[in-house]
Amino acid sequence: MIKAPQPLSQPLPIPEPKDESYGAALRLHVDATDVLRRIFRVQETIPVRQAGVLTLMYPKWLPGYHSPQAPIELLAGLVFEANGERLHWVRHPTEVHAFHVHVPDGVDAIEASFQYVTPTSSVQGRVVVSQRLLNLAWNAVVLYPAGYFSRGIEVEASVTLPDGWSFATALPVETQEGSSVSFRRVGLDEFVDSPMMGGLHAKRIALDDTVTLNVFAEESEHLDASDEQIAAHRGVVEQADLLFGPRPFDRFEVLLALSDEIGSIGVEHHRSCEIASVPGYFADWENTFPRRDSFPHEYIHGWNGKHRRGADSWAPCFYQPIRNSLMWVYEGQTQYWDRVLSARSGLWSAEHALAALADTAATHDMQAGSRWRPMSDTTRDPIIAARSPLPWPSWQRSEDYYTEGALIWLDVDTRIRELSGDCRSLDDFARAFFGADEPRGGYTETYLFDDVVRTLNSIAEYDWSSFFIDMLENTRGEAPLAGIERGGYQLVYRDTPTALWRAREQLTGVTSFIFSLGLTVSGDGALGEVRWDSPAFEQALTSGSQLLGVNGQTFSVESLDRAVSRSREGERVQCLVQDGHRQREVEFDYTEGHRYPALQPLPDQPPRLDRILMPR
């Protein structure tokens, strides 16, 4: 008789964290001088309490990423030693971020050495080092003992940079000798939350007494910012104070990299934010404005996301999962406010902000995925997809708690204004809910769904609970556009794009026909996104297909643009398409010409949206 297989016993779990001090501090040094190979070399001293098996963790669940984003595959060359002897280690078989080290008797500390071999190409992950600039995330270069809250483990860190480089971080500096910097002892939670940027070309710009804009660039001329440009960034700080009230942080470092050699990023932290933008952020100011909303977004997170955070998005250590059910507040309301503060501060004009809202509204107006998947389920996307490219994003949906969340909060804002006779607004909620009692830096206060509802009812009484449950949990065939209409506008489609739309196309090199044919295309004819149920979808075009010809001519963006324009006159749009090794002719069943989203004023509605975007 053949025995059916039975499961093996599961490996021992990682110890549950305790809210107590680990005792002695970890000592960490990072040699960041090898910028040609893009390798960080790490030496770490880890105190131990007793002989036996010590479990060390590599940070896995990272604040700001909302998911297990640790680049464990880039940790290499790991060696542990004690008293001059090499120690045996083994990786946990299922929790691959955990390492069991066998500590002999008579040892009070072990030495760890390893390399963080950062990506040398974007196909390997986000590039964080160039020959003139680096972005060091401390979570990538530290191991820490399991069994303790992160705040109970202290770290003394130091770093060696290439000669002549400057740096910025929210970590307090203890000493600096030439290119070597030592930082004061801090808790592991604060350490991981305080990344560093360094570079050959750098400039510090005071936005006020406690907020500093630290700019790093590949070329020195890209550091130059006009008084007008700096004033707009100062405007974000001033308008945020007026919106949220007292700051939760005692100091704040904006880390801004201007580079096309390191990967784009925007991540929030308690006392800092890290942003990697385009080289011409200042130098080509008039054409790069679609990228300016990154700073207000990450700065707003100092209140919404870092100071106040949904209870299930906080964890006591970096190996316990987070669940993200309130990301529509954390990111959705931040997305709403970043549009508003971009306009109030002068980083954008009001027209730019309206155009951004129009793009968001149209995306959800045309999105098929909301018919099967409720918005609340997209709060799991950082864990499900980790922002990997998707074949059908308009059907699958991805992290729509940002954009659809922003539309919902516009609905809330205009509804409060209507209910209160335009005497109160979401501004009042922001101050009541996110304002800090005192600037304490790394301190987080958590909240629940009921806390959001209770605070809203203190501003304007309404059945907010049912409102949110409907918006979040139900599928729908239409976009939540009530806030736009109550704000005095309606979504329309025109045959000419907004300045924001055109500037975004120039920045990305991708031309969008997403609301007409239902596709985006690069200059070589490669298709990016194809919208579900669009004319392109009906012709079985997919992401990765390539357009070779348009109406008998060799493909160019201009030829496709002309063909779409003439479709309004009854001319068909015909394309030669290559899929893999095969070519075929397609003819789009489309006669509506160009369709670009815009917001058009409603004559019989109060202009609430105009008032929302006005400086306070």
Side-chain angles (χ1 to χ4, degrees):
M1 180 178 179
I2 298 176
K3 274 189 164 184
Q6 297 297 316
L8 296 174
S9 60
Q10 291 298 306
L12 291 176
I14 306 300
E16 285 293 311
K18 298 173 289 188
D19 191 7
E20 60 182 54
S21 172
Y22 181 67
L26 313 181
R27 296 194 303 278
L28 176 80
H29 179 73
V30 179
D31 181 344
T33 59
D34 193 355
V35 295
L36 292 178
R37 298 184 187 89
R38 309 185 191 200
I39 296 171
F40 296 146
R41 291 179 167 83
V42 183
Q43 297 288 330
E44 184 176 4
T45 301
I46 305 166
V48 297
R49 291 185 159 190
Q50 60 188 24
V53 176
L54 173 67
T55 300
L56 296 174
M57 308 299 298
Y58 190 70
K60 177 181 179 181
W61 290 83
L62 302 178
Y65 292 87
H66 320 311
S67 62
Q69 284 284 306
I72 186 67
E73 73 281 5
L74 301 176
L75 184 152
L78 181 61
V79 173
F80 295 103
E81 294 181 322
N83 296 333
E85 298 292 328
R86 194 157 174 166
L87 304 181
H88 177 73
W89 65 267
V90 63
R91 193 188 300 261
H92 192 284
T94 57
E95 294 292 338
V96 296
H97 297 73
F99 302 87
H100 301 308
V101 184
H102 295 269
V103 180
D105 290 330
V107 169
D108 58 8
I110 64 173
E111 303 293 329
S113 62
F114 59 91
Q115 302 87 44
Y116 177 53
V117 289
T118 77
T120 58
S121 165
S122 60
V123 299
Q124 303 159 4
R126 178 177 173 253
V127 174
V128 297
V129 180
S130 74
Q131 293 186 34
R132 295 183 175 186
L133 197 155
L134 64 80
N135 184 187
L136 173 57
W138 298 110
N139 60 273
V141 293
V142 66
L143 297 170
Y144 67 97
Y148 299 85
F149 280 26
S150 298
R151 63 191 179 212
I153 302 171
E154 292 187 310
V155 183
E156 293 178 3
S158 61
V159 65
T160 301
L161 294 166
D163 290 339
W165 280 34
S166 301
F167 73 93
T169 175
L171 287 178
V173 174
E174 183 71 31
T175 62
Q176 181 173 1
E177 295 182 12
S179 58
S180 294
V181 185
S182 296
F183 301 100
R184 295 179 195 168
R185 181 183 297 189
V186 297
L188 179 65
D189 54 347
E190 181 178 348
F191 178 63
V192 168
D193 194 51
S194 304
M196 186 183 78
M197 276 189 183
L200 180 62
H201 304 301
K203 188 175 185 177
R204 286 177 62 84
I205 302 169
L207 299 183
D208 72 2
D209 291 342
T210 59
V211 181
T212 303
L213 176 61
N214 302 275
V215 188
F216 298 86
E218 302 287 350
E219 305 295 338
S220 59
E221 59 265 28
H222 289 155
L223 299 174
D224 296 333
S226 69
D227 291 344
E228 178 185 3
Q229 292 165 350
I230 295 170
H233 289 79
R234 288 188 177 129
V236 172
V237 176
E238 294 164 0
Q239 290 296 322
D241 284 345
L242 293 170
L243 175 62
F244 294 110
R247 299 174 183 176
F249 44 82
D250 51 356
R251 62 188 187 278
F252 199 92
E253 303 289 337
V254 182
L255 312 179
L256 174 61
L258 307 183
S259 173
D260 54 8
E261 296 188 44
I262 70 168
S264 178
I265 197 173
V267 180
E268 65 275 10
H269 305 282
H270 278 285
R271 287 190 174 104
S272 65
C273 63
E274 50 188 328
I275 301 166
S277 193
V278 292
Y281 182 84
F282 292 120
D284 194 17
W285 184 252
E286 293 306 316
N287 295 317
T288 59
F289 68 87
R291 298 294 295 270
R292 295 181 206 160
D293 61 327
S294 294
F295 168 47
H297 186 97
E298 306 308 338
Y299 186 67
I300 288 164
H301 273 317
W303 286 267
N304 180 8
K306 303 307 290 186
H307 168 53
R308 298 299 308 275
R309 193 180 311 171
D312 66 2
S313 287
W314 179 89
C317 62
F318 300 116
Y319 59 84
Q320 288 207 330
I322 56 178
R323 284 167 283 175
N324 295 332
S325 68
L326 290 160
M327 293 304 291
W328 50 277
V329 183
Y330 184 134
E331 293 290 4
Q333 193 173 145
T334 296
Q335 184 90 345
Y336 174 65
W337 286 128
D338 84 43
R339 269 72 180 127
V340 172
L341 288 198
S342 290
R344 290 183 183 178
S345 66
L347 273 179
W348 279 357
S349 67
E351 288 73 22
H352 295 155
L354 291 172
L357 284 170
D359 291 353
T360 299
T363 297
H364 292 282
D365 185 44
M366 294 289 184
Q367 186 180 72
S370 59
R371 300 200 301 261
W372 73 271
R373 190 180 186 199
M375 194 266 271
S376 62
D377 191 57
T378 73
T379 64
R380 315 301 182 196
D381 280 335
I383 302 168
I384 295 169
R387 298 192 177 175
S388 298
L390 301 174
W392 302 102
S394 62
W395 181 241
Q396 294 168 271
R397 308 191 76 180
S398 181
E399 299 189 37
D400 284 352
Y401 53 83
Y402 279 91
T403 51
E404 189 171 330
L407 293 176
I408 290 172
W409 284 108
L410 174 58
D411 190 338
V412 173
D413 194 352
T414 56
R415 195 177 296 268
I416 291 172
R417 291 168 186 264
E418 183 179 66
L419 290 168
S420 65
D422 290 302
C423 293
R424 308 207 76 182
S425 69
L426 195 63
D427 294 51
D428 298 294
F429 171 86
R431 178 175 284 265
F433 198 73
F434 297 115
D437 295 329
E438 57 180 319
R440 290 200 276 178
Y443 183 75
T444 296
E445 294 181 13
T446 61
Y447 61 83
L448 302 170
F449 176 87
D450 288 346
D451 298 318
V452 177
V453 169
R454 188 180 305 110
T455 305
L456 280 171
N457 273 317
S458 73
I459 307 299
E461 288 191 12
Y462 187 70
D463 189 357
W464 295 111
S465 180
S466 296
F467 169 83
F468 284 123
I469 290 171
D470 176 46
M471 288 291 183
L472 300 172
E473 304 298 337
N474 290 331
T475 56
R476 60 189 70 251
E478 68 287 331
L481 303 183
I484 288 176
E485 293 162 2
R486 201 181 295 110
Y489 284 87
Q490 63 179 342
L491 174 65
V492 297
Y493 294 90
R494 295 173 177 161
D495 58 7
T496 55
T498 63
L500 179 73
W501 183 285
R502 192 60 79 202
R504 189 178 290 130
E505 288 184 333
Q506 291 173 352
L507 281 171
T508 61
V510 175
T511 303
S512 178
F513 301 90
I514 201 71
F515 300 122
S516 53
L517 297 182
L519 57 85
T520 65
V521 62
S522 57
D524 63 357
L527 297 190
E529 180 181 353
V530 173
R531 180 168 54 82
W532 193 270
D533 283 346
S534 68
F537 179 88
E538 294 304 319
Q539 293 302 317
L541 299 186
T542 67
S543 174
S545 299
Q546 185 168 16
L547 303 185
L548 302 178
V550 180
N551 288 354
Q553 297 182 331
T554 300
F555 169 81
S556 68
V557 170
E558 293 76 15
S559 64
L560 184 59
D561 185 85
R562 285 193 301 270
V564 173
S565 181
R566 291 171 181 170
S567 71
R568 191 182 294 275
E569 301 165 8
E571 294 187 21
R572 293 288 184 177
V573 181
Q574 298 174 323
C575 290
L576 176 63
V577 179
Q578 180 151 343
D579 292 313
H581 298 296
R582 309 293 180 191
Q583 295 180 4
R584 60 192 173 97
E585 294 274 358
V586 300
E587 181 175 306
F588 294 94
D589 183 16
Y590 183 76
T591 58
E592 296 184 42
H594 286 295
R595 283 168 51 85
Y596 298 106
L599 296 188
Q600 179 173 289
L602 288 170
D604 299 327
Q605 280 284 352
R608 293 190 178 97
L609 191 45
D610 292 341
R611 297 171 193 158
I612 289 170
L613 299 177
M614 291 175 62
R616 292 189 57 178

